[in-house]
Amino acid sequence: YSKIATEGEMQAELTSPPMVPKPIGGRAATKLKVSMEIKEQEGTMADGVKYTYWTFGGSVPGSFIRTRVGDEVEFHLKNHPDNKLPHNIDLHAVTGPGGGATSSLVAPGHEKVFSFKVINPGLYVYHCATAPVGMHIANGMYGLILVEPEGGLPPVDKEYYIMQGDFYTQGEYGAKGLQSFDMNKAIKETPDYVVFNGKVGSLTNGNELTAKVGETVRLFVGNGGPNLVSSFHVIGEIFDNVHVEGGNLVNKNVQTTLIPAGGSSIVDFKVETAGNFIIVDHSIFRAFNKGALGILKVEGEENKKIYSGTIQEGIYLPEGGTIQKMPVSSTAKEVVPNRTLAEKIKTGKDIFGTTCFACHQSEGQGIPNAFPPLAKSDYLNTDSKRAIKTILNGLSGEITVNGKKFNNVMPSQNLSDDEIANVLTYIYSSWGNNKTEITPQMVKTLR
Ligand code: HEM
């Protein structure tokens, strides 16, 4: 952190993983400015495998934020102008509705500022909470914010930042090329990748964490999920201290610590002897076949009093992807109740309020240059089949709505025939549109 222009406030130092900012628990509470920019960017998931990550600050997990109890945080959240989607941030360290999410919803090219006071010490997850929430988290939108207790945590020699996440790709583990997000796998909780710090190999192959014999090491470990709970373990080490679930309770002499999705743990231990210590999720197929494997490389003298077995190089190496064949689910027969027009409009309104409003806004007014209006939309009113297809398949490329050009991406929406019929019937019946009634049968024909 460093002093900036205004007296009495500080700019927070932010770091990308596996690094953490310097300890600050020793200083007095202050007004702390955090400036973070959301970037949607292509990155590498594994050798030859690309993925479009959505990031807080350009890394997965997002920038590490270090505060101390009593700090008043002024959070500046920017959404890069090249991004396609609106985003926000829910920080578990915030006491207040939505953890900041409602005040921080920000469209591409804009900035939102909101403030909160950190009153509970601990290690907290933050994440995007814009619909579809699971998709935003699955694409990498999570990170950690530490609230140090007064006086700070006990000093150690090395501190690192690790965060687990599960990823769902169209292709199976290792399938080459740019892989897109697979919503069906995400709903079924069958990830192709389970990784530390956003990719296979983030902590191996030259990216190992390092320490010297005799040093104490603290790991700030988070789990972004979106789905899986982590059984965090370092092979050949025993955690001396574990801040259970990132809180105040310290457990001693722990082999494996559970880290819930949306939760954390602070572990520390002294490294007594040299060698490679393998960091895993002990749900072990994830480590050897899906990527959740890192290395802490300890250099120095072997300590024969502690360990005198042979040290074999190459034990515990990643084994690559198991070929998963998930059964193709037969399209469940949809029960389409007989609803009155008023009932359809009412359910359609609920769907709009959870699924579409984040982009098209609550009164269908859209956002200039980013999301077209659905209110009095000529594009919508001239072609209802095209509207149905837009929701089924998504839409990209240049379109003109009410004389204004849009060139953006709408993801396909994972809704049933009945739901699409209802939401469109609601939209057509609202905001000056032409009152077309859409039936599930019309959607089914186009699916
Ligand atoms: C375009 C409906 C969800 C982003 C459209 C259009 C319709 C529509 C009818 C055609 C243009 C118009 O008539 O104004 C819906 C419905 C949704 C939904 C019913 C919910 C079920 C979303 C979401 C996003 C989004 C969640 C953002 C993540 C867009 C964009 C376009 C568009 C960017 C223009 C695409 C282009 O430039 O080619 N939407 N939408 N929509 N929608 Fe949605």
Side-chain angles (χ1 to χ4, degrees):
Y1 61 97
S2 58
K3 290 251 178 202
I4 58 152
T6 320
E7 205 52 51
E9 60 178 42
M10 282 171 175
Q11 185 76 27
E13 178 193 1
L14 301 181
T15 58
S16 34
M19 307 321 287
V20 291
K22 289 175 287 300
I24 53 165
R27 68 155 166 76
T30 187
K31 182 169 171 190
L32 190 66
K33 277 178 91 170
V34 175
S35 303
M36 205 182 265
E37 185 167 43
I38 294 163
K39 292 175 189 153
E40 299 166 4
Q41 61 191 27
E42 197 178 297
T44 302
M45 176 74 72
D47 267 352
V49 185
K50 299 278 179 198
Y51 193 78
T52 304
Y53 294 93
W54 299 349
T55 74
F56 285 107
S59 60
V60 177
S63 312
F64 194 100
I65 310 167
R66 196 160 190 154
T67 69
R68 61 143 280 163
V69 75
D71 279 350
E72 281 171 38
V73 180
E74 184 181 287
F75 208 106
H76 293 245
L77 186 66
K78 277 191 190 151
N79 192 346
H80 194 281
D82 292 344
N83 291 349
K84 303 278 185 216
L85 298 164
H87 298 285
N88 65 10
I89 192 166
D90 167 351
L91 301 114
H92 293 179
V94 171
T95 307
T102 36
S103 4
S104 62
L105 184 69
V106 56
H110 290 76
E111 175 176 340
K112 279 280 170 69
V113 182
F114 63 105
S115 299
F116 58 91
K117 187 165 182 165
V118 285
I119 54 179
N120 303 77
L123 181 62
Y124 298 93
V125 168
Y126 66 78
H127 61 88
C128 185
T130 306
V133 177
M135 182 177 177
H136 284 248
I137 294 177
N139 284 340
M141 297 199 79
Y142 47 76
L144 291 179
I145 172 169
L146 173 67
V147 183
E148 288 198 50
E150 198 168 339
L153 294 165
V156 289
D157 298 306
K158 293 276 160 63
E159 289 187 327
Y160 292 111
Y161 173 20
I162 303 179
M163 205 158 174
Q164 184 169 320
D166 25 302
F167 287 86
Y168 304 82
T169 51
Q170 295 280 316
E172 283 160 1
Y173 181 101
K176 302 285 184 225
L178 181 62
Q179 294 294 323
S180 56
F181 169 68
D182 189 321
M183 184 89 168
N184 285 320
K185 288 180 181 174
I187 290 170
K188 293 190 176 121
E189 305 190 11
T190 54
D192 301 280
Y193 296 88
V194 182
V195 295
F196 297 125
N197 294 353
K199 58 185 276 197
V200 178
S202 66
L203 300 174
T204 59
N205 294 334
N207 303 320
E208 291 86 357
L209 304 181
T210 56
K212 294 198 179 68
V213 171
E215 284 187 329
T216 44
V217 179
R218 174 178 290 134
L219 304 177
F220 294 104
V221 192
N223 186 4
N227 289 319
L228 303 185
V229 168
S230 175
S231 301
F232 188 74
H233 178 80
V234 177
I235 299 176
E237 261 302 339
I238 296 148
F239 304 137
D240 296 334
N241 299 294
V242 173
H243 280 258
V244 177
E245 294 167 6
N248 280 2
L249 179 68
V250 175
N251 197 1
K252 303 241 172 218
N253 303 325
V254 176
Q255 59 193 304
T256 300
T257 185
L258 271 177
I259 311 181
S264 73
S265 189
I266 308 173
V267 306
D268 67 66
F269 49 93
K270 185 174 178 196
V271 285
E272 314 266 4
T273 189
N276 281 347
F277 293 82
I278 314 289
I279 302 165
V280 296
D281 178 342
H282 212 295
S283 288
I284 212 73
F285 277 101
R286 300 177 190 168
F288 294 105
N289 306 86
K290 292 184 173 180
L293 187 149
I295 294 178
L296 169 67
K297 193 175 183 168
V298 179
E299 282 164 348
E301 293 288 309
E302 281 174 44
N303 186 341
K304 294 283 184 199
K305 277 196 197 134
I306 302 271
Y307 182 77
S308 60
T310 38
I311 294 177
Q312 193 188 336
E313 288 299 320
I315 197 165
Y316 290 143
L317 289 178
E319 296 161 9
T322 46
I323 307 298
Q324 299 177 75
K325 282 221 162 44
M326 296 300 296
V328 180
S329 67
S330 58
T331 30
K333 278 215 188 76
E334 228 178 79
V335 185
V336 181
N338 273 332
R339 289 213 184 87
T340 64
L341 180 61
E343 284 165 347
K344 286 178 76 174
I345 291 173
K346 192 172 174 294
T347 28
K349 186 176 183 185
D350 290 342
I351 298 165
F352 184 84
T354 50
T355 311
C356 326
F357 87 103
C359 298
H360 293 288
Q361 306 296 295
S362 56
E363 295 303 312
Q365 74 271 32
I367 294 180
N369 304 320
F371 306 110
L374 301 178
K376 262 197 186 145
S377 157
D378 57 357
Y379 190 93
L380 177 79
N381 287 309
T382 46
D383 191 343
S384 59
K385 281 189 179 157
R386 184 172 62 186
I388 295 170
K389 283 194 223 153
T390 297
I391 298 164
L392 282 172
N393 309 324
L395 183 67
S396 60
E398 190 177 286
I399 61 168
T400 304
V401 182
N402 299 344
K404 300 254 160 51
K405 286 196 165 55
F406 293 86
N407 191 353
N408 224 315
V409 178
M410 168 165 153
S412 66
Q413 304 295 310
N414 191 45
L415 298 173
S416 69
D417 295 348
D418 193 36
E419 288 168 325
I420 292 177
N422 291 343
V423 74
L424 275 179
T425 302
Y426 164 69
I427 291 167
Y428 275 114
S429 75
S430 311
W431 316 309
N433 289 327
N434 68 7
K435 306 210 182 304
T436 308
E437 186 176 346
I438 306 289
T439 64
Q441 193 53 45
M442 290 158 82
V443 180
K444 198 173 177 189
T445 323
L446 294 169
R447 190 181 279 278

